Amino acid sequence: MRGSQSNVSHSPETRGQAPWKQDLVSGFLVFLLALPLCLGIAMASGFPPVAGILTAVVGGLLSSWAGSARLTIKGPAAGLIVIALGAVTELGGGDGVLGYRRALGTIVVAACLQMLFAALRAGRLGDLFPSAVVHGMLAAIGVTICARQVHVLLGVSPVARAPLGLLAEVPGSVARLNPEIALIGGLGLGLLFGHAALSRRVTWLRRIPAPLLVLAVAVPLGLGFDLEHAHTFTFSHAVFSVGPDHLVNLPSNLRTALTFPDFSGVLSVLGFKYVVMFALVGSVESLLTVKAVDLLDPEQRRSDLDKDLFATGLGNLVAGLLGGLPMISEVVRSSANLSQGARSRLSNFFHGLFLLLFVAFAPELIHRIPLAALASMLIFTGVRLASPGELVKAYRVGAEQVLIFCVTLVVTLATDLLVGVTAGIVLKAGVHLLNGASPRELFRPDIEEQVGVDRVVLRVRSAAVFTNFLAFKKLLNRHAQAPRIEVDLTEARLVDHTVMQRLHELAVERAREGRQLQVLGLEQHRGMSSHPLSARKKAPAGDLGLTP
């Protein structure tokens, strides 16, 4: 969900093609990547495998036309696995089928809420959440995915259900791993992590998505181990069982895969919690992805975030009514779409169409996929979400960012996503109070406007922090057509990292439009680190120029 400069280039041959042909090629390659990921995300979420494909089909065939983001791919995402699985588990009370149907009910209501957000022009919500909280949340999701899927990869059923308990069981699962299943999963994991290095040695591998390479190895191994039929085998004087329960199970008829929601749990406290989490977390993740992909668009087109949020809500409404997972604009598939030279929303449409045709006419091929192969892909995704590099980036911005990141991560793992995100936001607001912001300034910025013929000056006389940035941005949008905007922070006691980052992004966007946004008056402020976008606190008299 992050990006700066585009690495996408279009060769003369590509530029000479009809746009739909390039989108057809890109859509097909994204389909190859999406197929195993959709299956794996669905199973990790406690949904039937086909639910992930249903969502991607709806995202491609419907949401691609309703939205504004031309190059993003809409479908199920690893970032919502924790919420979806929690909804199935808690709302079902031990009954997986009932939990699945009740989770669908919360998805449908959350979709209506997302469309309401869009009508209220809440696309700006993407600017509200501090990056340290978002990255801490994603890291917690990554750890949870790895904690759950490592046992599937090893062919072992864990006893624990909570993330910390699952992590504690990993050594025991390694000790009693199923050799055949673990071989499939281990090879898959090795190929995923080694794909980049292999591609440098074997150039034709660059054209093959890593997940497809995993399937090319895992499916023949599954056939060789005869996973289609339940049997036992002996290895190192121990007896192990394998069978069809280690393979993906899909209905032979697509119509029988359709499942309708149960709304009986929506009005409960638990139901309300999951409606809020699906709506808020899904919206924020989707908006952040759209903004990141826009930065990479070779044609520098900008998406209408509110329109795209409506398209996501509409897609979720239809997917939830049919039995699918919640969807967002997904970053991995969107990045792949860009790298393959996609030009328009047709690539998302084609990716959905290929998925529909494949699941309708070749379900038996999907049934040959070992679950351990899907688990390896999810673990790879989880490791990327929980990469230690994000912690290093947070440290470079400032020590307070590390604290917020870690608190969000730990509280999420110990409780749930909503509590973890809330804890991170409350902690960041508390840090601002300790740094001199008053409770009133947290939500109401004091900004003086000076409108001239060729420029607009906005003088901030209070704290400029994430909690009051939406009001700040409203003023910026009011003068969006001005050739030059100057943001004068001389009298601001505190400017946090979120505001510094958002102002930088706006400056880049305006520069592309031939307009200027300049930040002034930071000479008397101390940075929380040497990072150019770190939080800034006004230095006391006689203590200027110090950088702690």
Side-chain angles (χ1 to χ4, degrees):
M1 294 184 293
R2 296 169 296 277
S4 52
Q5 293 182 328
S6 173
N7 293 321
V8 180
S9 61
H10 300 278
S11 65
E13 295 82 1
T14 299
R15 288 193 296 268
Q17 291 181 4
W20 70 267
K21 291 182 180 180
Q22 185 60 27
D23 286 325
L24 179 67
V25 173
S26 178
F28 178 74
L29 293 172
V30 173
F31 146 72
L32 295 177
L33 173 66
L35 176 63
L37 290 177
C38 289
L39 294 170
I41 290 168
M43 299 197 68
S45 301
F47 281 52
V50 73
I53 295 179
L54 281 173
T55 298
V57 169
V58 172
L61 301 188
L62 174 65
S63 296
S64 58
W65 303 111
S68 168
R70 301 164 184 82
L71 300 179
T72 59
I73 300 295
K74 287 182 167 52
L80 295 178
I81 287 176
V82 176
I83 305 175
L85 182 60
V88 172
T89 304
E90 294 193 41
L91 293 173
D95 185 335
V97 176
L98 178 62
Y100 165 45
R101 294 187 61 224
R102 285 181 172 172
L104 293 176
T106 62
I107 291 169
V108 170
V109 176
C112 296
L113 196 56
Q114 285 180 317
M115 290 190 286
L116 177 62
F117 287 164
L120 296 174
R121 302 192 63 80
R124 53 190 180 176
L125 277 174
D127 292 321
L128 178 61
F129 287 81
S131 59
V133 173
V134 173
H135 293 154
M137 175 191 76
L138 294 175
I141 291 170
V143 171
T144 302
I145 291 171
C146 292
R148 294 187 184 282
Q149 294 303 310
V150 69
H151 303 283
V152 178
L153 183 142
L154 297 172
V156 177
S157 298
V159 176
R161 291 292 177 264
L164 296 178
L166 288 166
L167 287 172
E169 282 194 48
V170 170
S173 293
V174 171
R176 46 193 186 91
L177 60 82
N178 186 312
E180 290 185 352
I181 302 303
L183 177 62
I184 294 173
L187 284 174
L189 207 56
L191 287 171
L192 289 164
F193 280 102
H195 183 261
L198 285 173
S199 298
R200 286 194 290 269
R201 294 175 177 270
V202 186
T203 54
W204 57 267
L205 282 178
R206 297 174 188 172
R207 297 182 175 272
I208 302 178
L212 188 61
L213 189 61
V214 172
L215 295 186
V217 172
V219 171
L221 277 175
L223 292 172
F225 292 146
D226 194 22
L227 299 185
E228 181 67 28
H229 303 97
H231 64 279
T232 60
F233 68 95
T234 303
F235 181 83
S236 188
H237 306 294
V239 179
F240 299 92
S241 299
V242 293
D245 57 339
H246 290 102
L247 296 172
V248 173
N249 183 26
L250 276 186
S252 57
N253 188 322
L254 189 58
R255 285 175 295 183
T256 64
L258 302 181
T259 304
F260 301 105
D262 180 340
F263 294 96
S264 62
V266 170
L267 296 179
S268 66
V269 175
L270 276 177
F272 178 74
K273 180 180 83 168
Y274 283 106
V275 166
V276 171
M277 285 204 289
F278 277 128
L280 284 182
V281 177
S283 298
V284 170
E285 279 202 59
S286 195
L287 291 170
L288 291 175
T289 295
V290 171
K291 289 175 66 176
V293 172
D294 278 356
L295 291 174
L296 297 174
D297 184 356
E299 298 180 34
Q300 299 182 0
R301 294 167 291 187
R302 288 295 169 265
S303 303
D304 182 331
L305 295 181
D306 294 309
K307 185 177 180 181
D308 202 72
L309 184 57
F310 175 82
T312 302
L314 178 63
N316 278 324
L317 177 65
V318 175
L321 289 172
L322 297 178
L325 282 163
M327 76 171 64
I328 67 168
S329 295
E330 203 280 328
V331 66
V332 174
R333 276 154 270 166
S334 297
S335 299
N337 191 41
L338 273 164
S339 67
Q340 299 302 332
R343 297 186 182 182
S344 74
R345 65 188 77 238
L346 275 173
S347 57
N348 189 16
F349 172 79
F350 284 131
H351 127 272
L353 181 62
F354 282 125
L355 282 169
L356 176 62
L357 294 174
F358 194 86
V359 77
F361 297 108
E364 280 302 311
L365 291 178
I366 296 177
H367 178 59
R368 305 290 182 187
I369 300 174
L371 297 180
L374 300 181
S376 70
M377 297 177 202
L378 289 169
I379 291 172
F380 180 70
T381 301
V383 169
R384 294 176 67 182
L385 287 172
S387 169
E390 292 302 325
L391 191 60
V392 173
K393 290 178 183 177
Y395 177 75
R396 288 173 180 164
V397 175
E400 83 285 357
Q401 300 296 309
V402 175
L403 177 63
I404 295 164
F405 178 100
C406 292
V407 167
T408 305
L409 168 63
V410 172
V411 175
T412 299
L413 291 175
T415 55
D416 62 40
L417 203 58
L418 192 59
V419 176
V421 170
T422 302
I425 290 174
V426 169
L427 175 61
K428 180 153 188 175
V431 169
H432 292 338
L433 291 172
L434 291 174
N435 278 324
S438 70
R440 178 184 175 279
E441 291 172 348
L442 286 181
F443 303 100
R444 296 182 63 183
D446 182 3
I447 303 174
E448 176 190 318
E449 297 177 76
Q450 181 181 332
V451 181
V453 177
D454 59 350
R455 67 171 183 165
V456 173
V457 179
L458 300 178
R459 290 189 175 88
V460 181
R461 302 187 183 280
S462 60
V465 294
F466 78 102
T467 45
N468 65 29
F469 183 71
L470 292 185
F472 192 178
K473 190 176 180 183
K474 187 176 180 180
L475 288 177
L476 290 167
N477 290 339
R478 182 187 300 172
H479 305 291
Q481 300 306 313
R484 178 182 174 88
I485 296 177
E486 293 180 0
V487 178
D488 188 347
L489 299 172
T490 303
E491 298 181 44
R493 285 195 294 277
L494 178 68
V495 186
D496 77 355
H497 168 60
T498 300
V499 172
M500 292 292 296
Q501 187 176 39
R502 300 293 181 261
L503 290 176
H504 172 72
E505 292 168 357
L506 287 170
V508 172
E509 288 182 18
R510 286 180 61 83
R512 286 176 173 159
E513 298 168 356
R515 299 183 176 91
Q516 283 185 300
L517 188 150
Q518 188 172 10
V519 178
L520 306 172
L522 291 175
E523 296 81 6
Q524 300 178 18
H525 293 71
R526 293 186 304 175
M528 299 297 179
S529 75
S530 59
H531 193 281
L533 299 180
S534 69
R536 308 297 174 101
K537 183 178 179 180
K538 193 162 186 179
D543 192 25
L544 301 179
L546 296 180
T547 302

